Amino acid sequence: MASQSKILPQLTASKLFLTEAGIETTLVYKNNINLPCFSALPLLGTEDGIKTILSIYQDYVNIALAHSTGIILETRTWRGSPAWAPQLNLSVPEILNLNRVAVTILQNLRKTTHTPSTPIVISGTLGTLQDAYVDSTETVSFSQAQENYRAQVQILAEGVDMISIMTVTNLNEATAAVSVAREFNLPIHVSFSIETDGRLRGGGHLMM
């Protein structure tokens, strides 16, 4: 477990920080790669898959280098919690090990490409435990989400600077992710999937 919270450079620096723009979408529509459950995680189990992911990461880093901006790179672990292991035809130890591979890939990339004018922040990505386009408020409890995210963050915390959780559809998952990030003293960015009226999928409000 981390001993103290990390200070994120994007929160203190005056320079801009770039983010990614949908690597999974790029893999599907530009590289014609089939992603089970829209997950790039299984690609990290093969040399060719790792090379493909690294190539896309490098493209983003090159843009940051060309403009002397920072960049935040996400691990390919959006579907990396134990809950997704059966649908990805992986065992729980296998899916957690791929989380570790995802972190190692970005650590190695940072060592070889970062510069003082282009700092690289590694963000460990969490995702929903069920379909991100369906409300799961009644089917995913806080304790279930906490258990899944804790197993994943324990691995990610070995080498990430922060945690992010994307496409959240309910508060159980969001609050569970935040509580686990706090356990490991990691800052976390939470992003919800909302309807056009600003409500969550199940009709709930983010503001009380």
Side-chain angles (χ1 to χ4, degrees):
M1 185 176 295
S3 59
Q4 62 182 29
S5 297
K6 297 178 181 291
I7 299 175
L8 298 174
Q10 68 266 35
L11 299 182
T12 58
S14 58
K15 66 167 64 243
L16 294 175
F17 273 73
L18 303 181
T19 62
E20 301 171 10
I23 286 181
E24 281 74 14
T25 302
T26 299
L27 290 168
V28 171
Y29 293 102
K30 296 188 71 174
N31 295 73
N32 296 313
I33 296 175
N34 179 47
L35 299 180
C37 303
F38 208 62
S39 172
L41 191 63
L43 293 179
L44 302 185
T46 68
E47 289 187 14
D48 287 344
I50 290 175
K51 288 180 181 178
T52 300
I53 296 295
L54 273 173
S55 175
I56 299 174
Y57 278 142
Q58 188 64 61
D59 287 342
Y60 282 111
V61 172
N62 289 343
I63 295 171
L65 289 168
H67 297 277
S68 296
T69 69
I71 186 167
I72 304 168
L73 295 176
E74 301 284 344
T75 57
R76 309 270 49 92
T77 52
W78 180 61
R79 291 289 194 231
S81 69
W84 285 96
Q87 295 186 61
L88 296 177
N89 293 316
L90 297 167
S91 66
V92 171
E94 285 173 335
I95 200 170
L96 292 177
N97 184 62
L98 287 176
N99 277 264
R100 183 173 283 111
V101 172
V103 173
T104 300
I105 286 171
L106 285 179
Q107 285 181 315
N108 291 338
L109 179 64
R110 176 161 65 182
K111 288 177 183 177
T112 59
T113 60
H114 85 285
T115 68
S117 61
T118 300
I120 297 175
V121 176
I122 300 175
S123 177
T125 307
L126 308 179
T128 56
L129 301 184
Q130 296 181 10
D131 192 325
Y133 294 97
V134 175
D135 174 47
S136 55
T137 302
E138 302 301 323
T139 55
V140 176
S141 67
F142 172 85
S143 60
Q144 180 188 2
Q146 192 177 50
E147 179 182 358
N148 273 272
Y149 294 144
R150 184 180 290 118
Q152 190 177 5
V153 173
Q154 185 173 4
I155 302 297
L156 297 174
E158 296 174 4
V160 303
D161 303 306
M162 60 177 286
I163 297 295
S164 65
I165 181 165
M166 303 182 182
T167 65
V168 186
T169 61
N170 66 78
L171 293 178
N172 286 340
E173 290 176 335
T175 53
V178 170
S179 71
V180 171
R182 284 177 174 170
E183 289 179 21
F184 291 87
N185 293 305
L186 285 168
I188 182 169
H189 161 240
V190 180
S191 175
F192 291 89
S193 288
I194 58 175
E195 301 292 350
T196 55
D197 61 2
R199 296 172 182 260
L200 293 170
R201 297 281 177 182
H205 290 280
L206 287 176
M207 298 182 65
M208 301 301 290

